[in-house]
Amino acid sequence: MNAEHKESILDKFHLEGKVALVTGGSRGIGRSIALGLAEAGADVVLASRKLPDLEAVAQEIAQMGRKALPVAANVRHLPEISNLVKTAMDEFGRIDILVNNAGTNIVFGSVFNMDEKAWDIIMGLNLKGYFFLSQAVGQIMRDKGGGNIISIASENGIRPGVGLGIYSVSKAGVIMLTKVLAQEWGQYNIRANAIAPGVVRTRLSTALQSNPVIRGRTEDSAALGRIAEPEEIVGAALFLASDASSYMTGQTLVLDGGHFSSVRTLLSTISSTE
């Protein structure tokens, strides 16, 4: 019998002994990622504005035999970021994985009609929050020998969404922030990557889902002919959080159901002109 253990590729996906912090962890993509990381062996700090919603997810994680710490925090505000990180460190003494996921979009329409308040709220959560939370957690990761930062961007950060001007700008900023962090912090063994989903069936996309015309066009524009479920983002997050992606940093994984490669859009355009 060979006493030397050969590591399986599947072993690289395990997260035992790791602590993950997931913002926007009470529902949608954040909830699904938090549950996926816990299933892979990580303990999880859950953050969002409403504690009761977080506590329900924490119970699900506890049933897996992992530890979960729900913390009410609005990461638009720097004092709440500081409290979130301090609370996590007091409980676990480390943060190995950060998932920047909390996001919002409060306006839909022409850039002509978007005001300063909308700009401040959207940019404050979608980009400012990501920047300063990454800064706070990155200092801990640097001192502990490394870590992984995963930021949820959007396909609209690459291809602007109609009526989503500020949101698209904020998500483009997330993609560039990812590149900046990867470049600057690689020397500290900190990797930074992003996931850019297309439309996902979450509360954020409720307005789109409830409009049959917009929903139909969105589904037709994807090669797979449908929008995504939150659980379909988890595999990419686990890959980026684990040693399976140990040589990957500064990259953005686009999970859009094949929007860019779809012939459906072309066929629909041809049909509409006949």
Side-chain angles (χ1 to χ4, degrees), residues 48 52 94 104 113 135 149 151 237 255 270:
S48 76
R94 62 187 301 145
T104 190
N113 300 323
Q135 182 189 72
I149 297 174
S151 295
L255 304 183
I270 294 173

Side-chain angles (χ1 to χ4, degrees), residues 153-161 164-165 167-176 179 194-198 251-256 259-260:
S154 169
E155 68 166 341
N156 295 137
I158 301 169
R159 177 187 60 83
L164 298 172
Y167 180 82
S168 296
V169 171
S170 73
K171 292 303 185 177
V174 170
I175 292 171
M176 181 52 67
K179 294 177 181 293
I195 299 172
Q251 304 303 308
T252 298
L253 294 180
V254 179
L255 304 183
D256 64 355
H259 178 94
F260 291 168

Side-chain angles (χ1 to χ4, degrees), residues 21-195:
L21 193 166
V22 181
T23 67
S26 62
R27 62 177 186 261
I29 293 174
R31 172 184 173 275
S32 293
I33 289 177
L35 293 174
L37 297 180
E39 186 175 348
D43 295 324
V44 184
V45 181
L46 299 160
S48 76
R49 292 182 300 156
K50 298 179 180 179
L51 189 60
D53 295 339
L54 292 173
E55 290 173 336
V57 182
Q59 290 179 359
E60 293 183 76
I61 291 174
Q63 292 173 356
M64 298 179 186
R66 308 310 314 172
K67 295 179 181 178
L69 175 66
V71 182
N74 184 340
V75 295
R76 281 180 57 209
H77 306 302
L78 269 61
E80 296 193 39
I81 287 177
S82 297
N83 180 68
L84 168 61
V85 174
K86 181 180 184 302
T87 302
M89 290 298 290
D90 287 346
E91 178 70 20
F92 293 111
R94 62 187 301 145
I95 301 173
D96 304 288
I97 301 160
L98 169 63
V99 180
N100 287 310
N101 168 72
T104 190
N105 180 58
I106 62 170
V107 290
F108 181 85
S110 170
V111 170
F112 282 123
N113 300 323
M114 296 182 182
D115 59 19
E116 183 182 13
K117 181 178 179 181
W119 173 275
D120 288 343
I121 290 174
I122 295 171
M123 297 296 286
L125 184 58
N126 293 7
L127 187 55
K128 174 185 172 183
Y130 282 29
F131 181 97
F132 284 103
L133 183 55
S134 296
Q135 182 189 72
V137 174
Q139 293 176 30
I140 294 167
M141 291 177 172
R142 177 192 60 193
D143 296 340
K144 295 290 185 180
N148 284 314
I149 297 174
I150 303 165
S151 295
I152 304 302
S154 169
E155 68 166 341
N156 295 137
I158 301 169
R159 177 187 60 83
V162 177
L164 298 172
I166 301 174
Y167 180 82
S168 296
V169 171
S170 73
K171 292 303 185 177
V174 170
I175 292 171
M176 181 52 67
L177 174 61
T178 297
K179 294 177 181 293
V180 168
L181 296 181
Q183 180 186 59
E184 184 172 327
W185 291 354
Q187 62 184 312
Y188 305 116
N189 195 33
I190 299 172
R191 296 192 292 113
N193 293 287
I195 299 172

